[in-house]
Amino acid sequence: MTTSFTRSDLLLPLPPPASLVGPWGWARANLFSSPLQALLTLVGGYVAVMLLWTFVDFTIIRAVWTGADRDACLDDKVGRSVGACWPFVWAKFGQFMYGFYPADERWRVNLTYGVAIALLVPLLIPSVPQKPLNAILFFGAFPILAFNLLYGGSIINPWLSVGGWLAILGGLALVAGYLMSRVEGPPNVVFLQWGGAAIAVGILLLLLVRTGLFAAPALPVIETRQWGGLLVTLVVATTGIVAALPIGVALALGRRSKMPIIRLLSVAVIELVRGVPLITVLFFATYMLPLFLERSPDAMVRVLVGVSIFSGAYMAETIRGGLQAIPKGQFEGAMALGLNYPRMMSLIVMPQALKLVIPGIVNAFIGLFKDTTLVSIVAIFDLLGGIRAGFTDPQWASPVTLYTGFAFAGIIYFAFCYFMSRYSIFVENRLNTGRRR
Amino acid sequence: MQKCGVFRVKAPDDGALWVPAKDNKSTTNRVGKAATMKRIVSTLALGAALGFGATAALAQAPSTLRNIQNKGFVQCGVTQGLAGFSMPDSAGNWTGLDVDLCRAIAAAIFNDPTKVRFSPLSAKDRFTALQSGEVDLLSRNTTWTLQRDTSLGLNFAGINYYDGQGFMVRKSLNVKSARELSGASVCVQTGTTTELNVADFFRANNLKYEPVVFASADETIKAYDSGRCDVFTTDASGLYAERVKLAKPDDHVVLPEIISKEPLGPVVRHGDDQWLDVVKWVHFAMITAEELNITKANLDQMLQSTNPEVRRVLGVEGNGGEALGLTKDWVVRIVRHVGNYAEIFDRNVGPSTRLGISRGLNALWTKGGLQYAPPIR
């Protein structure tokens, strides 16, 4: 008689071999899966560790942290091989951050930064409510406030001027609406009344500015020539970045427009601006423009206009790329729903097109942020220009001063660019629900 | 002068900018729109002049001095950082020999040395900035050359620093003279007159050398320090400034030979003689003050002096300042706020500074140097 055994349940799976789990298993799968992979890992790892070590060694381990002049950073005086000479950066810190902005007035720059952060951070976090109000404050009110603080002079006049011009523009738009309503049917007299009123209010506001009633400077005027350092870098980059998108959208739509004159003008602007280097644009704006104008605007304004148009032209091509990726069906569908052109573009096409080109847009922003350093050729000291000027100070001239200055500039530029890059990835992932792989 | 073949600029209301001159008196001053137009023409011509050496036609601009008095400050073009000449210090104030000249001009005009604004200009943009009126004068260690004085449409108002190109080598090479440098490799900044002067020098002396060129001064000195080449060359004043950047400055020596003339001085636009006079005489006034031993410290005693020359220079007698369009006490203002030439030299580049440059050619003519001022009378 034989006895047979039958298992009533499954054999428990054996644990995976030690070589497939844990850190070792992960490394085997991802780093050493074949001889070639192993070689690449070793070479890459060696290079990465060496670079990181060099950087840490120079900026932290061998660095000098305190000192009064170059003697603190000389190998002979210290008695060892010296790395970064940080006291050079501390001594010139005000210069690097604010340029020639008077020391007593630098709180104004800091306050501007504070307000900017307080408005920008909630704007960047999707879950914070009140986005429209926040956007109006940041894009509408903040620039005027920043002008108040940074430039100084009258507090009230800039608000009145901007308000006056906006009222006049709005009024003109309403009058245009009235004229169009006359063509289509019964004239809409309300438009005319409100438009006239707005224009009158605008002219009144501008006249109020002219009377000089509020011209008394509340804060001392700081000429833009005295601005410098990181302040200039941020002002130029922020203006360029904020202005680039609307200019770019307008030019991209103009280039795809069916109206020949608008298309021709858009193409002309884009190709002309893209065809010349930024240095040329800045040089012309700074040195040639004053020859053709009786009263030329402030040097910084000329630079800001130049940078805005330049970045706008590049942005236009990025956005056009996005527009071309939208299938024809989307346009036809929007039209079938009875949407007019502005609604079709703002509700259906643009949101999709912009989402597609987020990497390109952020790419342009990061490039622009670093291109701002070109303003140093037109007699404006930005962050890098200020640092370079610092190298010439014989009080701090030492073999490591140059490397320290560039390391400091590198750290600052990297911090800003890395933040922009990470935020763009975050936005991409958030919007990319339909295409995520 | 011949009657025809001389071309002069006429006002644009004639319908033509360029017409043959009818007679020698046709160059009366024209101001206003015509001048603006001509400045456009002259600046556009500047580009051509740079390339082809053509003579740019330059016309009378509105009085620069009156313009400055109206706007309330002097706009002065300086370097983007050159130790001892023009450089922002840690507190953000411009300092240096060239900067002090600008301050002296502001002091002479406004009795206030702070009424000056500085535009940091790169070497290649400096002349354009001056031509376009962005700056009132250029005080930017600019070498006086024939081409710049003529075809660029500029006027040099004097020489506030006599410089020349020199060599620096390692002491360990045991070289005592530049003529012993045969076969040496020379670190030099590209695109400068420095590079051309080196070539001239070695060719003239039948010596072989190997140029190692770099784009910027910082790279050049770093390369020399790391042993990439045997010799570092630039203007002598720059040699001292660059030497302190070396790991061991005492291991290097500046050779005695000076192989070129680099007279550095303030520059103004063609066409405004009054402004040229002001800049020129402010410089001369500082030298004269040193000659007469008028300093910041003893100024008040000097004002009581009976020496007729001192009395004339300080405006106690005579009216030299008014002839310039300034006030009688213009030299007093300069010396009180800025000092005489010796004071600004010692303060910015002299032996007690980190640059430690001796007066050399820049000593007064009475002390074996070249600094000489015409009499103020």
Side-chain angles (χ1 to χ4, degrees):
Chain A
M1 209 105 172
T2 55
T3 314
S4 59
F5 295 94
T6 314
R7 282 191 65 94
S8 58
D9 48 21
L10 282 172
L11 200 64
L12 279 176
L14 287 172
S19 61
L20 288 181
V21 288
W24 174 234
W26 182 88
R28 227 182 109 135
N30 293 295
L31 299 177
F32 302 102
S33 56
S34 72
L36 179 67
Q37 300 292 341
L39 185 71
L40 289 177
T41 299
L42 288 177
V43 171
Y46 174 76
V47 171
V49 169
M50 281 307 292
L51 283 177
L52 195 66
W53 170 250
T54 313
F55 182 74
V56 170
D57 181 50
F58 180 79
T59 54
I60 296 171
I61 296 174
R62 286 193 293 122
V64 172
W65 300 91
T66 53
D69 60 8
R70 64 190 291 267
D71 289 347
C73 303
L74 295 177
D75 291 359
D76 291 353
K77 299 272 163 61
V78 183
R80 64 184 169 90
S81 164
V82 171
C85 180
W86 293 118
F88 161 71
V89 174
W90 311 149
K92 302 266 175 192
F93 192 75
Q95 186 96 33
F96 294 168
M97 292 296 115
Y98 310 99
F100 301 104
Y101 212 90
D104 295 344
E105 304 288 336
R106 285 178 185 167
W107 62 270
R108 287 157 57 172
V109 180
N110 295 336
L111 183 61
T112 312
Y113 288 164
V115 174
I117 292 170
L119 287 175
L120 188 61
V121 168
L123 199 60
L124 293 181
I125 300 173
S127 58
V128 177
Q130 297 290 344
K131 280 280 176 289
L133 176 68
N134 199 336
I136 289 174
L137 282 179
F138 184 74
F139 293 108
F142 174 69
I144 311 178
L145 181 71
F147 179 83
N148 277 158
L149 280 171
L150 294 177
Y151 185 78
S154 165
I155 293 274
I156 301 168
N157 272 349
W159 297 88
L160 289 182
S161 309
V162 172
W165 283 111
L166 282 181
I168 290 177
L169 284 179
L172 287 176
L174 283 176
V175 171
Y178 162 76
L179 291 176
M180 275 168 65
S181 71
R182 271 177 59 135
V183 177
E184 285 168 5
N188 192 339
V189 187
V190 183
F191 273 20
L192 186 65
Q193 287 164 347
W194 279 105
I199 293 176
V201 168
I203 292 175
L204 204 66
L205 288 178
L206 290 182
L207 283 177
L208 210 56
V209 173
R210 272 295 175 86
T211 58
L213 207 59
F214 305 107
L219 290 166
V221 171
I222 310 293
E223 296 277 329
T224 55
R225 224 166 246 299
Q226 288 175 272
W227 302 12
L230 187 64
L231 170 64
V232 159
T233 301
L234 289 178
V235 165
V236 175
T238 314
T239 312
I241 285 171
V242 170
L245 215 51
I247 295 177
V249 167
L251 285 175
L253 290 178
R255 189 163 188 167
R256 284 170 57 89
S257 166
K258 292 205 167 60
M259 292 177 264
I261 293 179
I262 290 195
R263 189 171 65 234
L264 194 75
L265 284 177
S266 301
V267 171
V269 170
I270 292 173
E271 295 305 333
L272 189 72
V273 175
R274 283 203 311 164
V276 292
L278 180 54
I279 289 187
T280 317
V281 174
L282 294 177
F283 196 82
F284 261 74
T286 305
Y287 295 124
M288 302 304 272
L289 205 58
L291 294 170
F292 300 98
L293 300 174
E294 281 290 312
R295 274 178 58 235
S296 62
D298 184 86
M300 181 69 75
V301 173
R302 282 179 266 155
V303 164
L304 291 179
V305 170
V307 167
S308 300
I309 295 175
F310 192 82
S311 53
Y314 274 84
M315 189 56 66
E317 288 299 277
T318 308
I319 292 170
R320 194 167 65 94
L323 287 174
Q324 282 178 342
I326 306 297
K328 201 177 166 193
Q330 297 287 328
F331 292 87
E332 289 168 351
M335 286 185 230
L337 286 174
L339 298 181
N340 57 11
Y341 180 82
R343 289 202 168 155
M344 172 175 78
M345 280 301 166
S346 62
L347 295 176
I348 308 288
V349 178
M350 268 301 161
Q352 300 185 64
L354 290 180
K355 189 190 82 180
L356 284 176
V357 292
I358 286 174
I361 291 175
V362 176
N363 203 14
F365 286 172
I366 289 178
L368 176 66
F369 185 81
K370 289 180 289 185
D371 278 352
T372 56
T373 193
L374 294 174
V375 299
S376 61
I377 68 146
V378 290
I380 296 173
F381 271 165
D382 72 323
L383 176 64
L384 204 60
I387 291 177
R388 277 179 173 278
F391 294 155
T392 59
D393 190 345
Q395 195 188 347
W396 287 104
S398 78
V400 289
T401 307
L402 187 77
Y403 301 137
T404 309
F406 282 133
F408 179 68
I411 291 169
I412 289 191
Y413 278 108
F414 181 77
F416 279 99
C417 294
Y418 189 69
F419 168 76
M420 282 196 265
S421 158
R422 295 314 298 182
Y423 186 73
S424 99
I425 291 176
F426 164 74
V427 173
E428 245 174 89
N429 286 338
R430 203 172 74 84
L431 297 179
N432 217 8
T433 44
R435 286 172 190 249
R436 191 178 292 152
R437 290 174 56 202
Chain B
M1 280 182 81
Q2 70 257 60
K3 287 224 166 177
C4 56
V6 180
F7 285 78
R8 298 205 192 282
V9 177
K10 282 199 83 181
D13 50 0
D14 294 8
L17 272 174
W18 296 80
V19 290
K22 295 280 191 309
D23 59 58
N24 294 342
K25 290 170 195 151
S26 68
T27 48
T28 45
N29 304 342
R30 292 187 176 87
V31 289
K33 273 197 162 178
T36 314
M37 193 63 209
K38 285 173 208 162
R39 266 167 59 201
I40 298 173
V41 174
S42 65
T43 309
L44 291 176
L46 175 70
L50 278 166
F52 307 111
T55 304
L58 293 152
Q60 190 88 9
S63 164
T64 311
L65 181 61
R66 199 174 317 131
N67 204 350
I68 288 170
Q69 281 163 337
N70 287 341
K71 67 183 177 181
F73 59 90
V74 179
Q75 188 79 50
C76 185
V78 294
T79 66
Q80 294 179 320
L82 178 65
F85 289 87
S86 43
M87 179 194 76
D89 67 8
S90 297
N93 300 312
W94 284 95
T95 60
L97 195 72
D98 286 343
V99 166
D100 278 343
L101 181 70
C102 298
R103 293 201 192 282
I105 292 167
I109 299 173
F110 299 110
N111 199 15
D112 181 355
T114 61
K115 290 198 169 167
V116 52
R117 295 186 187 168
F118 297 98
S119 296
L121 300 170
S122 73
K124 59 179 184 299
D125 305 332
R126 53 185 160 178
F127 300 121
T128 322
L130 180 61
Q131 274 298 344
S132 70
E134 273 288 292
V135 295
D136 297 317
L137 84 152
L138 206 58
S139 184
R140 196 205 168 283
N141 74 318
T142 304
T143 306
W144 189 345
T145 66
L146 175 96
Q147 191 225 1
R148 287 171 179 173
D149 205 351
T150 54
S151 54
L152 288 196
L154 307 174
N155 273 333
F156 283 78
I159 298 169
N160 68 340
Y161 190 89
Y162 288 92
D163 211 340
Q165 188 177 336
F167 294 107
M168 179 161 61
V169 296
R170 286 181 185 73
K171 272 184 186 161
S172 56
L173 283 183
N174 271 327
V175 172
K176 295 280 172 282
S177 155
R179 289 177 216 289
E180 298 169 28
L181 287 176
S182 189
S185 53
V186 181
C187 275
V188 60
Q189 197 182 338
T190 184
T192 56
T193 51
T194 316
E195 193 184 2
L196 307 174
N197 292 336
V198 173
D200 285 356
F201 173 80
F202 281 90
R203 207 176 70 187
N205 287 291
N206 246 331
L207 301 170
K208 278 196 189 127
Y209 80 111
E210 180 205 341
V212 186
V213 296
F214 297 91
S216 77
D218 286 330
E219 284 171 67
T220 319
I221 189 71
K222 277 284 168 212
Y224 170 72
D225 200 15
S226 63
R228 178 75 185 76
C229 42
D230 308 318
V231 184
F232 174 76
T233 181
T234 187
D235 285 355
S237 60
L239 278 183
Y240 291 97
E242 298 293 339
R243 190 166 71 158
V244 293
K245 292 182 187 168
L246 298 172
K248 294 186 174 119
D250 296 336
D251 291 358
H252 303 268
V253 60
V254 175
L255 296 178
E257 279 89 352
I258 296 294
I259 62 164
S260 72
K261 289 186 287 187
E262 309 283 346
L264 312 177
V267 196
V268 297
R269 281 183 291 276
H270 264 183
D272 187 348
D273 289 349
Q274 185 198 21
W275 178 234
L276 172 66
D277 288 342
V278 169
V279 176
K280 183 161 60 185
W281 283 95
V282 166
H283 169 60
F284 288 151
M286 290 195 287
I287 293 171
T288 310
E290 187 193 352
E291 245 181 82
L292 298 173
N293 200 22
I294 306 170
T295 64
K296 250 183 180 177
N298 70 5
L299 181 65
D300 289 326
Q301 293 159 307
M302 281 292 180
L303 280 168
Q304 314 299 327
S305 166
T306 52
N307 179 340
E309 198 177 356
V310 172
R311 289 174 71 82
R312 204 162 45 233
V313 167
L314 293 183
V316 183
E317 286 171 11
N319 62 348
E322 279 161 13
L324 276 175
L326 302 173
T327 53
K328 268 186 179 179
D329 63 341
W330 63 293
V331 183
V332 179
R333 292 174 169 191
I334 294 170
V335 176
R336 172 166 294 139
H337 295 296
V338 185
N340 68 28
Y341 184 76
E343 285 174 292
I344 68 166
F345 191 96
D346 292 342
R347 182 165 71 220
N348 293 306
V349 296
S352 63
T353 65
R354 283 174 193 274
L355 296 183
I357 302 176
S358 60
R359 285 293 287 271
L361 285 179
N362 293 294
L364 288 185
W365 59 287
T366 49
K367 294 176 185 163
L370 291 174
Q371 288 295 359
Y372 182 98
I376 295 181
R377 67 182 307 151

